[in-house]
Amino acid sequence: MFEVDAATFIAGGTRVLGPVDAAFAPGEVVGLIGHNGSGKSTLLKLLAGQQAPSSGTVRFEGVPVADWGARAFARRVAYLPQHPPATGHLTARELVGFGRYPWHGLLGRFTADDRRRVDTALRMTDTEAFADRAVDTLSGGERQRVWLAMLLAQESDFLLLDEPLSALDIAHQVEVLELIRRLSRELGLSVVIVLHDINMAARFCDQLVAMHGGGLLVRGTPGQLMDSATLRSIYGVSMQVLTPPGQSRPVAIVD
């Protein structure tokens, strides 16, 4: 659904991305991994249409992202930035309701169907219990689930998530990633997610795309990338890869 063709991005005279060639197929959870400054968030912003490539092309369903109308694109692709905007005094239900705007605009009437979509999104993310609480009173994990509910209410096919685990403790990281993977399986959603923790990425993603120095270094399944030599090329540090007793997935440990 997404095709990246020789895309670059230059900021302040410095090339921070590219040239990158990549494709993101439907129905998978794809993790973008790599060290800080490797180009992960920049690539995600190009996919989301938040930035235009300095050269090259990013296409969604064969059409350059820049040629999509904003509302038409938002009906197909939902983007959650690393630092979501302030929610003021909005309740969780009100925030989730913003996900319906691509379908009727800011001035359109909020219909019974919109309310049903919001209720469904709250139920699927297990956020009904605090739907009428102010978002800024919720815990970090609860807030992330509400933002995901907003994306679900948007009814997009493709979710682009930029470091949704930042500032979450390990328990909430697992909770959010389990939710993302479950929603992908149940709804057939495609997800591209920026992650820092290689073990979390390997546990919850179908494919991993490793970035390094603004370029795409290697891509494959977690099993293919969870290799000491490959991880050293990605992160620049020595790691051991082992499979704990009773588990099927390997984990990486810094030497």
Side-chain angles (χ1 to χ4, degrees):
M1 296 175 74
F2 271 106
E3 297 171 306
V4 182
D5 183 12
T8 69
F9 186 75
I10 298 172
T14 300
R15 178 178 293 184
V16 295
L17 183 76
V20 168
D21 296 295
F24 297 92
E28 293 184 329
V29 178
V30 179
L32 296 183
I33 62 173
H35 59 78
N36 288 340
S38 61
K40 305 182 300 296
S41 293
T42 300
L43 177 57
L44 199 75
K45 289 175 182 177
L46 297 189
L47 296 178
Q50 298 296 305
Q51 295 174 335
S54 301
S55 63
T57 308
V58 179
R59 297 183 181 88
F60 180 70
E61 294 198 336
V63 178
V65 169
D67 292 346
W68 280 81
R71 284 178 57 188
F73 189 68
R75 291 176 182 178
R76 304 299 309 281
V77 179
Y79 169 65
L80 183 62
Q82 181 179 353
H83 303 291
T87 56
H89 299 293
L90 290 175
T91 66
R93 186 183 302 277
E94 289 169 337
L95 178 61
V96 175
F98 277 92
R100 299 303 302 159
Y101 285 170
W103 297 92
H104 55 60
L106 289 174
L107 301 179
R109 294 189 61 183
F110 206 78
T111 67
D113 181 62
D114 292 321
R115 286 189 286 274
R116 282 194 296 270
R117 304 285 184 182
V118 168
D119 288 341
T120 297
L122 290 167
R123 183 174 67 254
M124 294 197 72
T125 53
D126 195 25
T127 52
E128 292 173 294
F130 43 83
D132 297 316
R133 284 178 54 189
V135 176
D136 58 9
T137 68
L138 303 177
S139 71
E142 290 169 342
R143 282 197 300 272
Q144 288 299 75
R145 283 158 51 199
V146 170
W147 281 107
L148 287 172
M150 188 196 76
L151 301 190
L152 289 184
Q154 195 170 323
E155 291 188 281
S156 303
D157 307 306
F158 221 111
L159 307 185
L160 305 175
L161 311 175
D162 193 355
E163 297 190 39
L165 307 185
S166 60
L168 297 185
D169 59 36
I170 292 177
H172 285 118
Q173 290 180 27
V174 172
E175 175 185 273
V176 169
L177 284 175
E178 285 180 338
L179 174 60
I180 290 168
R181 186 172 63 178
R182 176 173 63 81
L183 293 173
S184 174
R185 300 292 187 268
E186 292 180 359
L187 302 178
L189 296 175
S190 308
V191 181
V192 179
I193 178 171
V194 174
L195 294 170
H196 278 293
D197 189 319
I198 181 59
N199 291 317
M200 289 291 188
R203 178 176 175 181
F204 291 101
C205 295
D206 301 305
Q207 290 276 324
L208 299 177
V209 174
M211 308 286 294
H212 190 278
L216 196 159
L217 181 64
V218 63
R219 176 174 185 159
T221 65
Q224 292 169 328
L225 268 65
M226 289 294 278
D227 168 83
S228 295
T230 302
L231 293 178
R232 184 179 183 88
S233 70
I234 297 170
Y235 294 104
V237 296
S238 179
M239 293 185 178
Q240 295 184 41
V241 178
L242 53 88
T243 302
Q247 296 189 23
S248 59
R249 291 181 178 268
V251 296
I253 302 173
V254 177
D255 282 344

